[in-house]
Amino acid sequence: MRGTSTGVLRGAALSRSALSRSRAGTALRGLALAAVAALSLAACSAGPGSAGGGGGDVDQQQTLNPGTIGGADQPYTRPKVPDIGEVSVSLDESFQDYNNNTGAANSQANQYFSELFSPSPYFVDSDFSLKVDKDYMESVTVKSTSPQVVEWKWRPDAVWSDGAPVGCKDMYLLYLAAVSPAKASGGSQAFDSSPTGYSQISKFECSPDGKTVTVTFGTPLADYRGLWSQAWLSGGQLLPAHILEQRTGIPDITKLPLDRDTPEVQKAAQFFTKSWGDFDATNDLSAGPYILQSATRNQRAVLVRNPKWWGNPGGPAKITTTAVTDSQAMVQQLLNKEVQVIAPQADSTVAEQVRAGGDFSVFARGGQTYEHLDFNMGRPLFRDHPELRHAVADCVNRQDIVDKLVKSVDPNAKPLGAFLINPNEAGYQDHYPGVGTGDVAGAKKLMEDAGWALGPDGIYAKGGQRASFRVGHKLVDRRGQTVQLMQASCKPAGIEMIDAGNEAFNDQQLPAGDFDAALFAWVGSSIKSTLTPNYTSKAKGGVANYNNYSNPQVDDLLSKANTQLDFTQRLATFNQADDIMAKDMHSLPLFQLPDFACADRSYSPISYLSTGGALWNVFAWTKSL
């Protein structure tokens, strides 16, 4: 998919209408943008034992409890660790494009790597909390809340790998890309980047040395921490603006107008969207602990320590990643000691094999990605028959799905009860109690009360329509098994589901709305603003609203939530929206997808985080003798 939205799907590029990420097989993961307010407070700096959680077999559930907007954020500094030499990692996808901000390129795979070479004011820690990254920032300060004014102050020694300073120009480029009205030849947005959050800025000011940026917001932005940060997932990756200046002949990017389409703006957009794609060592600089040494698109990528990095050097001197789509092949590589870490889709068989292997560890924990079944509200079958949507929600047995497909990976897993707040986050409420319990009798009553009659083929029909529909999904074993379980539990209720799995589903059919029902997962984050385009009406900016859901009340509540600086009020608003969506039953939440990684037990701390996958804390890895 190609796009700029807030949901992310792992395993596929996203469209501008989605700028999401998906985990191979987790269709667009909800690209949550700005972190829900200040997140939980943990240790100031993560050492080997805290950077990444991951000790033990199944990691403990975390509780995300954001603090007060404008309050003092906790700092983060990368730990000092010993040199452990080279490591090899197998991922479900590998590096594709350097610039992960455009709809045409955005993918979870790029995020795995960009966190290691792109500067970011905030760091997402193992408990999903956002902390000021002290390796980059002197401070991030809320100067005022009415109007909302925030100051970003970069460290003087924060530089790109060619020695150029990180600062104002890099931030301005992303701001320009997000809000510019410039159009491409076909009439689409020239920069192909999401305006979410950035469009609320009314003033952008730089200090003479370019190291301090002060931003005034026209309307409050609860998730201001996500701006220019990797946590934003789509539209938050800072790029070396001076490289764009050098290659295009633009003398000063900060002089380009934000509100006009000019020849220079067009040149900037052309470079932004075309020249930061496939690996190019001359353009793809680093301002992080690692630098890309080489990359073959979605096959293999090699990172080495950045010689210009001013912070503590990472543990691995060299990181070689290989894309492996076959989970069993990944396991064999690990058991043969060909690789030290693997990050396949959460899979019961894989978990059991690795645990039985002896000297290996499994990290499994409910993350911020969630699996769900969307009904296409643009199709008359679902748009005009709410009783069918509710009947499907009755006959599907969510607990059976969790027990058979997820429990052996994460014993804490249970059916999900919300879309906007996860079970391991403050404010979570279950809006689907008693739903999805395999209630065949209840489903049949709903259908018959609405005038449906059971046909000779055992499927309900009404007005020439049969209660039969295709379930589209990416080809992942767990997804195919989920469809089989739903088919088995709903057929006795007179409802037929047809498996319409397709390898290109996430990339093509999902963003085009070409499905009856869609089984996929949004990749979430602490930044909740990015989830709102998944559920906002398309006419109101719901660029990732693939199932054409529309409810004015939900639109208003989600818009309101993104401006609420009082965290408690914001949680209440999200829960109101979730409650309305549950009554509309446009989508059925299934379960919180476990974050999952396996490793040679001598390496630690190995874990998984949606923002950076298994590599999110690779700089902190150590090796026991």
Side-chain angles (χ1 to χ4, degrees):
M1 339 174 100
R2 318 243 187 263
T4 34
S5 105
T6 37
V8 172
L9 202 60
R10 179 179 169 189
L14 309 176
S15 67
R16 176 162 207 270
S17 52
L19 257 192
S20 347
R21 312 164 184 324
S22 85
R23 223 186 146 171
T26 94
L28 312 179
R29 295 181 168 189
L31 196 54
L33 267 88
V36 173
L39 300 160
S40 73
L41 316 176
C44 297
S45 125
S50 61
D57 190 274
V58 176
D59 202 64
Q60 65 180 18
Q61 295 295 100
Q62 301 293 332
T63 300
L64 182 63
N65 186 14
T68 304
I69 296 262
D73 294 318
Q74 292 297 297
Y76 180 87
T77 301
R78 285 159 188 76
K80 187 173 183 178
V81 294
D83 186 332
I84 63 171
E86 300 183 14
V87 296
S88 295
V89 182
S90 286
L91 307 170
D92 54 1
E93 296 179 282
S94 189
F95 178 82
Q96 297 161 27
D97 296 282
Y98 178 73
N99 181 1
N100 205 35
N101 297 305
T102 69
N106 181 262
S107 78
Q108 180 75 356
N110 293 331
Q111 186 84 18
Y112 297 158
F113 299 88
S114 62
E115 287 211 336
L116 301 175
F117 54 70
S118 297
S120 178
Y122 281 88
F123 179 82
V124 184
D125 209 349
S126 60
D127 59 357
F128 311 122
S129 65
L130 283 177
K131 297 175 180 175
V132 175
D133 195 322
K134 298 299 286 185
D135 283 326
Y136 291 112
M137 310 304 298
E138 286 196 350
S139 62
V140 179
T141 308
V142 177
K143 295 290 189 179
S144 168
T145 56
S146 185
Q148 186 180 10
V149 179
V150 183
E151 176 192 83
W152 281 262
K153 185 175 291 188
W154 294 88
R155 285 176 52 149
D157 53 357
V159 296
W160 292 98
S161 46
D162 64 354
V166 173
C168 170
K169 287 188 175 184
D170 308 315
M171 294 176 70
Y172 188 86
L173 172 59
L174 214 53
Y175 178 31
L176 171 69
V179 304
S180 175
K183 301 296 182 184
S185 57
S188 59
Q189 193 239 28
F191 285 95
D192 191 24
S193 291
S194 172
T196 305
Y198 297 97
S199 61
Q200 292 172 235
I201 295 173
S202 60
K203 185 187 294 185
F204 182 102
E205 303 170 279
C206 292
S207 62
D209 66 357
K211 282 293 184 177
T212 300
V213 174
T214 304
V215 170
T216 302
F217 293 89
T219 55
L221 178 63
D223 288 331
Y224 70 89
R225 291 173 177 84
L227 296 179
W228 299 290
S229 293
Q230 288 290 314
W232 200 266
L233 296 186
S234 172
Q237 180 196 354
L238 285 168
L239 304 165
H242 69 285
I243 291 294
L244 182 149
E245 290 177 338
Q246 292 171 11
R247 304 292 187 265
T248 61
I250 295 173
D252 186 349
I253 192 72
T254 65
K255 302 303 182 186
L256 296 190
L258 297 165
D259 57 354
R260 298 196 311 278
D261 189 349
T262 69
E264 283 194 322
V265 169
Q266 284 291 335
K267 283 199 295 183
Q270 181 71 13
F271 186 91
F272 186 85
T273 56
K274 304 298 182 184
S275 299
W276 274 322
D278 291 341
F279 176 67
D280 181 343
T282 61
N283 294 331
D284 301 352
L285 303 188
S286 171
Y290 289 92
I291 189 168
L292 270 174
Q293 182 183 72
S294 64
T296 301
R297 188 177 185 83
N298 203 23
Q299 294 181 36
R300 189 173 184 270
V302 178
L303 301 110
V304 294
R305 292 194 191 109
N306 175 10
K308 289 286 188 178
W309 174 246
W310 54 94
N312 286 323
K318 181 179 181 180
I319 307 160
T320 299
T321 69
T322 305
V324 179
T325 57
D326 185 336
S327 296
Q328 288 302 310
M330 273 197 200
V331 172
Q332 201 57 52
Q333 287 181 328
L334 183 66
L335 297 180
N336 291 344
K337 304 273 186 176
E338 297 169 27
V339 299
Q340 288 73 56
V341 178
I342 62 173
Q345 284 284 308
D347 183 280
S348 299
T349 303
V350 170
E352 291 166 4
Q353 285 180 301
V354 174
R355 286 169 182 150
D359 297 330
F360 304 96
S361 63
V362 171
F363 175 89
R365 175 185 72 179
Q368 294 184 309
T369 300
Y370 54 95
E371 195 95 344
H372 51 100
L373 179 70
D374 279 8
F375 304 111
N376 192 337
M377 303 294 282
R379 300 282 170 95
L381 181 66
F382 290 122
R383 181 191 65 215
D384 302 337
H385 299 289
E387 70 278 3
L388 176 58
R389 305 196 302 268
H390 284 275
V392 172
D394 271 357
C395 65
V396 167
N397 191 328
R398 299 190 300 158
Q399 188 64 58
D400 187 48
I401 292 172
V402 169
D403 288 345
K404 291 178 177 175
L405 303 182
V406 189
K407 277 276 189 181
S408 60
V409 178
D410 179 7
N412 296 308
K414 59 185 178 181
L416 184 63
F419 290 117
L420 301 172
I421 303 173
N422 282 315
N424 48 359
E425 295 179 298
Y428 172 77
Q429 295 177 13
D430 185 354
H431 299 276
Y432 296 80
V435 173
T437 59
D439 184 358
V440 171
K444 295 181 74 169
K445 184 176 188 307
L446 282 171
M447 297 294 282
E448 292 173 4
D449 285 352
W452 293 76
L454 203 60
D457 58 357
I459 304 302
Y460 279 106
K462 177 182 177 181
Q465 285 187 315
R466 295 174 70 245
S468 174
F469 58 92
R470 295 167 63 84
V471 180
H473 62 89
K474 185 177 174 71
L475 293 180
V476 174
D477 287 346
R478 186 191 64 252
R479 291 251 160 78
Q481 293 164 0
T482 299
V483 174
Q484 290 173 12
L485 291 172
M486 293 193 297
Q487 288 172 323
S489 62
C490 287
K491 187 175 181 180
I495 296 171
E496 179 181 57
M497 297 187 190
I498 301 168
D499 190 327
N502 187 315
E503 183 57 37
F505 181 76
N506 286 356
D507 286 343
Q508 300 173 17
Q509 294 168 265
L510 182 61
D514 182 17
F515 59 86
D516 295 332
L519 176 65
F520 66 104
W522 282 119
V523 178
S525 94
S526 306
I527 311 292
K528 296 302 177 185
S529 302
T530 55
L531 284 174
T532 58
N534 302 351
Y535 305 111
T536 300
S537 301
K538 283 191 173 181
K540 296 291 185 179
V543 291
N545 183 348
Y546 300 131
N547 71 327
N548 297 288
Y549 172 64
S550 180
N551 186 312
Q553 288 180 283
V554 172
D555 292 344
D556 291 343
L557 287 168
L558 295 181
S559 177
K560 176 183 177 182
N562 288 340
T563 67
Q564 289 179 302
L565 299 185
D566 183 297
F567 180 64
T568 302
Q569 291 179 3
R570 194 176 194 218
L571 288 178
T573 301
F574 279 136
N575 274 308
Q576 288 178 49
D578 246 323
D579 193 56
I580 294 171
M581 288 195 285
K583 291 180 173 63
D584 288 342
M585 193 57 71
H586 72 96
S587 180
L588 176 66
L590 296 177
F591 54 84
Q592 185 182 20
L593 194 67
D595 285 343
F596 186 61
C598 310
D600 181 317
R601 197 176 292 278
S602 61
Y603 289 82
S604 67
I606 308 300
S607 60
Y608 188 99
L609 209 60
S610 59
T611 50
L615 298 179
W616 78 274
N617 69 337
V618 64
F619 51 80
W621 290 1
T622 61
K623 181 183 179 182
S624 59
L625 298 178

